[in-house]
Amino acid sequence: MKSTFKKNGVGYLFAIALLLLGSSFANPGNPAANEKTVRAVYTAYEKKDWNMLKSLFADGFTFTSPMDDHINIKEYKVRCWPNSANIKKFAIDKLIVAGDDAFVTYNGWTNDGRVFRNTEYFKLKDGKIKEFACFFGPGISFPNNKAK
């Protein structure tokens, strides 16, 4: 019985190693390219360049926030893009990329000097943003919010 266990045990270990090795390649992404794509989102807002931003989005793109539930690119342009007119700049505090997933925490400044701080999650596919979720921080939350 011991020799059978050893023989099968090696097979089990080999299978587990393959599964673990495969899981690290299941979501490999390209961290440097994905970071560049995510940073370009904030650049597009600072430059007020819709075409630049749109070029970063994958087919089937969705955006989610406390006010938006998986809206498509057309609705995103109507509901969210107008904020770009009131954005002066962003300062990224943290940007973490793991495969095709990225989290960003940043401070943003409006043209009139108000500060907003949010965290955003990006799911990328083939170097393009498939999902984009914004989690509003304290304060005004988003640039066109009239709250102080």
Side-chain angles (χ1 to χ4, degrees):
M1 184 138 192
K2 282 187 175 181
S3 64
T4 304
F5 176 74
K6 284 183 180 178
K7 189 175 184 182
N8 288 340
V10 170
Y12 290 132
L13 289 175
F14 183 70
I16 291 169
L18 284 176
L19 286 171
L20 291 173
L21 185 61
S23 69
S24 68
F25 291 107
N27 188 18
N30 179 335
N34 287 342
E35 179 177 339
K36 185 177 179 182
T37 298
V38 169
R39 286 183 182 278
V41 169
Y42 304 99
T43 300
Y45 267 90
E46 289 175 341
K47 291 182 173 186
K48 292 32 168 176
D49 188 340
W50 170 252
N51 290 327
M52 178 184 181
L53 183 64
K54 184 179 172 185
S55 75
L56 303 172
F57 297 154
D59 289 339
F61 165 84
T62 62
F63 175 79
T64 301
S65 78
M67 299 167 51
D68 309 285
D69 186 14
H70 294 90
I71 61 175
N72 63 24
I73 194 168
K74 183 178 177 184
E75 191 67 19
Y76 178 85
K77 184 177 183 183
V78 170
R79 293 176 56 92
C80 304
W81 181 245
N83 284 298
S84 68
N86 198 23
I87 291 175
K88 182 176 182 178
K89 69 177 181 172
F90 289 100
I92 293 175
D93 186 31
K94 294 280 184 196
L95 192 157
I96 300 168
V97 178
D100 284 333
D101 298 297
F103 280 93
V104 179
T105 298
Y106 63 82
N107 288 318
W109 284 265
T110 62
N111 293 330
D112 63 359
R114 294 181 296 156
V115 177
F116 57 103
R117 181 175 178 85
N118 296 332
T119 294
E120 296 179 335
Y121 165 74
F122 297 88
K123 178 70 173 178
L124 295 100
K125 181 178 179 186
D126 300 325
K128 301 272 186 170
I129 298 167
K130 184 79 174 166
E131 299 174 28
F132 178 179
C134 181
F135 305 92
F136 296 149
I140 65 168
S141 304
F142 58 96
N144 289 347
N145 187 348
K146 299 301 180 195
K148 294 198 180 212

